[in-house]
């Protein structure tokens, strides 16, 4: 892909995402190591969306890798600045998940659900597989916090391998570039519309929508943290983005980022 091709694709993305403010920069590159790392290196504070057709060193939660071959994945990062300290951004990854799931549903894809705290899931013949994920990295200053929001979505099934969760995809094979553009623009437009709402109201503006998409609503689950494991019924998320577990004699709040969620092991 030439520089002119990348510029043309970036312009098409902006044209199809009317919610994107005029001061946002939208870039497309043929290949990079990690779009999150690229945007973390920028110090000007200007909002920017960076899409990569191929990503060789992408990162997932807990250091897992997220690589992407050309056309098989939608991988991009968005850098935005929020007023105040990082603790005001509790629940941001969940709000991003809501925006993405709703955008994909509006594009005609069914079976979308969310797995706390940052996984985008899609139903398949064996239950639900991981369609994508969100990784947010923060850089705080005295008056503001810069958030780099990384998104990876499987357009085509990934190659065979060991995955923490069974994978899912939007298409059976590599889609045409017009489908890449359509989905990329829908995701970008949804985030551009959602983030100002989050900045003004926090996750409370998204909590009911997240709970409607909760993959494990009412299910018995285990939450494994660094210091302890909890079991109970998944009640949902609260207005701060914490997971609520009904442990029988009490409701436990589990903070996003500290634990992972999985179905309990049955003998």
């Amino acid at each position: 892909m030439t520089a002119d091709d990348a510029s043309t694709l970036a312009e098409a993305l902006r044209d199809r995402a009317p919610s994107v403010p005029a001061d946002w920069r939208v870039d497309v590159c043929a290949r990079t190591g990690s779009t999150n790392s690229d945007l973390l290196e920028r110090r000007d504070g200007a909002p920017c969306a960076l899409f990569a057709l191929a990503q060789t060193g992408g990162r997932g939660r807990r250091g897992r890798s997220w690589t992407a071959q050309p056309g098989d994945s939608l991988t991009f990062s968005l850098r935005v600045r929020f007023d105040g300290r990082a603790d005001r951004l509790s629940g941001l990854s969940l709000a991003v998940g809501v925006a993405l799931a709703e955008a994909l549903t509006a594009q005609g894809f069914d079976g979308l659900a969310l797995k706390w705290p940052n996984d985008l899931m899609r139903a398949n013949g064996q239950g639900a597989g991981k369609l994508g994920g969100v990784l947010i990295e923060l850089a705080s200053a005295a008056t503001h916090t810069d958030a780099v929001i990384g998104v990876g979505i499987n357009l085509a099934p990934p190659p065979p391998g060991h995955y923490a969760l069974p994978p899912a995809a939007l298409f059976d094979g590599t889609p045409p570039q017009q489908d890449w553009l359509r989905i990329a623009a829908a995701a970008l437009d949804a985030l551009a519309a959602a983030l100002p709402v989050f900045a003004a109201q926090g996750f409370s503006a998204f909590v009911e929508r997240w709970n409607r998409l909760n993959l494990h609503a009412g299910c018995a689950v285990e939450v494994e943290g660094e210091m302890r494991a909890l079991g109970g019924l998944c009640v949902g998320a609260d207005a701060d983005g914490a997971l609520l577990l009904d442990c029988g004699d009490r409701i436990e709040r589990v903070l996003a980022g500290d634990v992972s969620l999985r179905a309990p092991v049955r003998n």
Side-chain angles (χ1 to χ4, degrees):
M1 184 173 68
T2 67
D4 287 343
D5 292 335
S7 178
T8 299
L9 200 52
E11 290 176 5
L13 270 173
R14 178 178 284 281
D15 289 344
R16 296 188 181 202
S19 298
V20 173
D23 64 339
W24 281 24
R25 180 174 173 179
V26 179
D27 291 333
V28 176
C29 67
R31 180 181 295 271
T32 192
S34 163
T35 54
N36 260 32
S37 295
D38 292 346
L39 293 191
L40 283 169
E41 292 175 359
R42 299 187 182 182
R43 302 298 181 186
D44 57 7
C48 179
L50 175 61
F51 290 77
L53 300 185
Q55 184 172 254
T56 59
R59 301 186 303 280
R61 193 163 169 264
R62 293 190 170 185
R64 299 186 181 104
S65 63
W66 186 288
T67 59
Q69 299 303 314
D72 283 354
S73 292
L74 175 65
T75 53
F76 70 98
S77 295
L78 177 61
R79 181 178 179 126
V80 290
R81 176 164 290 181
F82 294 91
D83 293 335
R85 297 177 4 176
D87 56 11
R88 293 186 65 247
L89 303 185
S90 176
L92 177 57
S93 67
L94 281 73
V96 169
V98 169
L100 294 172
E102 292 178 345
L104 291 174
T105 299
Q107 290 297 309
F109 299 101
D110 58 9
L112 276 295
L114 296 172
K115 174 181 172 291
W116 185 89
N118 63 350
D119 289 332
L120 185 63
M121 309 292 288
R122 191 181 189 201
N124 55 33
Q126 291 75 44
K130 181 171 178 176
L131 178 66
V134 178
L135 176 67
I136 297 179
E137 298 180 87
L138 304 176
S140 294
T143 59
H144 63 267
T145 299
D146 289 329
V148 175
I149 302 166
V151 175
I153 297 174
N154 293 326
L155 300 181
H162 176 72
Y163 299 97
L165 294 170
L170 294 179
F171 300 94
D172 294 333
T174 304
Q177 190 177 81
Q178 283 302 309
D179 281 322
W180 181 96
L181 179 60
R182 172 172 64 92
I183 296 164
L188 178 61
D189 192 63
L191 292 180
L195 292 176
V197 177
F198 182 88
Q201 303 178 45
F203 183 63
S204 62
F206 298 85
V207 63
E208 291 186 5
R209 292 150 64 188
W210 191 93
N211 283 327
R212 286 196 294 269
L213 290 161
N214 178 14
L215 177 69
H216 292 97
C219 295
V221 297
E222 284 184 355
V223 179
E224 185 175 323
E226 294 181 359
M227 303 299 295
R228 60 173 180 161
L230 288 173
L233 293 180
C234 180
V235 176
D238 67 11
D240 294 322
L243 184 71
L244 301 178
L245 281 188
D246 183 348
C247 298
D249 58 344
R250 68 197 187 282
I251 299 294
E252 287 276 355
R253 293 179 77 248
V254 185
L255 297 177
D258 295 336
V259 297
S260 60
L261 183 66
R262 61 188 179 187
V265 176
R266 300 190 184 278
N267 295 325

